Amino acid sequence: MKKILIALIGISIISPSVEMSAQAPSIVSDSQKQKQLNSMENGGWDFAPDWYYYTLHKNYSGAEMYWTWTLGFIPTPHIRFKEDKSNQKRVFVPRVAQIPAVLETKAKTQTELDSINPIWKEEMELTVDRNVDLMYPQFEDDFRKMQASISECLSYSLNKSNGNLAEVVALLQDENRAVLADIDYIHKTGIGYEMENTKRQIAYEEARERMRKLLKHSADLVYYTKCHYK
């Protein structure tokens, strides 16, 4: 019984240490795999064991043998690896080799930006131009004066004829409202109403000409009214 008790105590003492050693991760350094990974990516071009790669994997490792002389007369063979003799290339180009490509890409990008900037600047200027109506003030006074004259002519003709010219007055009023609607549309700015000021100017000039013709017709109607209605 005493021996069993001693054995149990010994097991209880040993078990935690065994469990802790089982849980503790072990770090294993593998220099051969490290050389392979470095060669695949951007490290030195080297493999190990060197004689193994020279004998069985010379094509992709680029292994070659060279000699050194010990004491001046004892030849000693060595193995070295050259990437340019390998039929395989790295997964990633060495960073130093990437520098010219990066600089070339940067130069091309800058050239493209330099060619795009004037176009972008011009487009921004056009956008600002389209969103501000700079032409309307040049025509506003003419529109206001002609509208006052048209309104006066039509009112006179309608009243002086005691409503007999109502149909003609209505036609002229409809035409006048159409001209004003066009002017209002030309004057609008913002999304959906982008128009360069040069085009606004042309549109306003056409609207002013239509309004002048309408004023002339209104003035002719006044003359007709004076002649036929006393």
Side-chain angles (χ1 to χ4, degrees):
M1 183 68 180
K2 185 176 180 181
K3 292 181 178 180
I4 295 174
L5 181 60
I6 293 172
L8 291 174
I9 294 172
I11 292 172
S12 64
I13 294 173
I14 295 172
S15 295
S17 62
V18 173
E19 183 179 357
M20 290 178 63
S21 63
Q23 292 178 352
S26 58
I27 300 175
V28 179
S29 177
D30 192 330
S31 60
Q32 295 180 5
K33 290 183 179 179
Q34 185 176 1
K35 287 183 177 182
Q36 288 180 335
L37 292 174
N38 287 338
S39 299
M40 290 169 59
E41 295 183 352
N42 56 6
W45 189 258
D46 193 14
F47 300 91
D50 50 7
W51 283 101
Y52 167 78
Y53 280 95
Y54 175 78
T55 305
L56 300 177
H57 301 282
K58 183 183 295 185
N59 288 336
Y60 82 76
S61 67
E64 68 175 12
M65 185 170 61
Y66 69 100
W67 298 82
T68 60
W69 299 87
T70 305
L71 301 177
F73 60 89
I74 302 175
T76 304
H78 301 279
I79 302 298
R80 61 188 173 195
F81 301 93
K82 291 189 175 182
E83 185 179 359
D84 56 356
K85 292 188 176 182
S86 169
N87 60 5
Q88 301 292 328
K89 301 304 177 184
R90 299 175 190 265
V91 177
F92 299 104
V93 179
R95 294 178 184 176
V96 174
Q98 289 180 351
I99 293 176
V102 172
L103 294 176
E104 183 180 359
T105 302
K106 183 178 179 181
K108 288 181 178 179
T109 302
Q110 187 62 47
T111 301
E112 292 177 357
L113 288 175
D114 291 341
S115 64
I116 291 173
N117 279 338
I119 300 174
W120 176 83
K121 184 178 179 181
E122 181 181 359
E123 184 59 31
M124 288 299 296
E125 292 175 352
L126 290 175
T127 300
V128 173
D129 181 72
R130 288 190 290 262
N131 288 327
V132 180
D133 186 356
L134 301 176
M135 297 294 107
Y136 184 74
Q138 300 180 21
F139 297 87
E140 184 178 11
D141 191 54
D142 287 346
F143 291 156
R144 181 179 56 79
K145 291 178 179 179
M146 285 191 288
Q147 280 300 304
S149 298
I150 291 172
S151 178
E152 184 178 354
C153 289
L154 296 181
S155 296
Y156 174 84
S157 300
L158 186 62
N159 294 329
K160 188 67 174 178
S161 67
N162 293 320
N164 292 317
L165 297 177
E167 185 175 354
V168 178
V169 170
L171 289 174
L172 293 175
Q173 287 175 336
D174 289 342
E175 186 178 350
N176 187 50
R177 280 191 290 268
V179 175
L180 292 177
D182 289 344
I183 293 173
D184 183 62
Y185 181 84
I186 299 166
H187 187 48
K188 287 182 179 180
T189 56
I191 298 175
Y193 299 97
E194 296 88 351
M195 181 185 294
E196 291 86 353
N197 279 292
T198 53
K199 294 181 179 179
R200 291 185 197 274
Q201 181 178 6
I202 295 173
Y204 281 138
E205 289 174 352
E206 292 175 352
R208 182 168 59 183
E209 186 61 27
R210 290 169 58 194
M211 194 177 293
R212 283 173 177 168
K213 291 180 179 180
L214 182 59
L215 177 57
K216 182 178 183 303
H217 293 159
S218 299
D220 291 341
L221 184 61
V222 169
Y223 179 77
Y224 176 86
T225 303
K226 289 182 177 179
C227 294
H228 291 83
Y229 297 97
K230 301 300 183 179

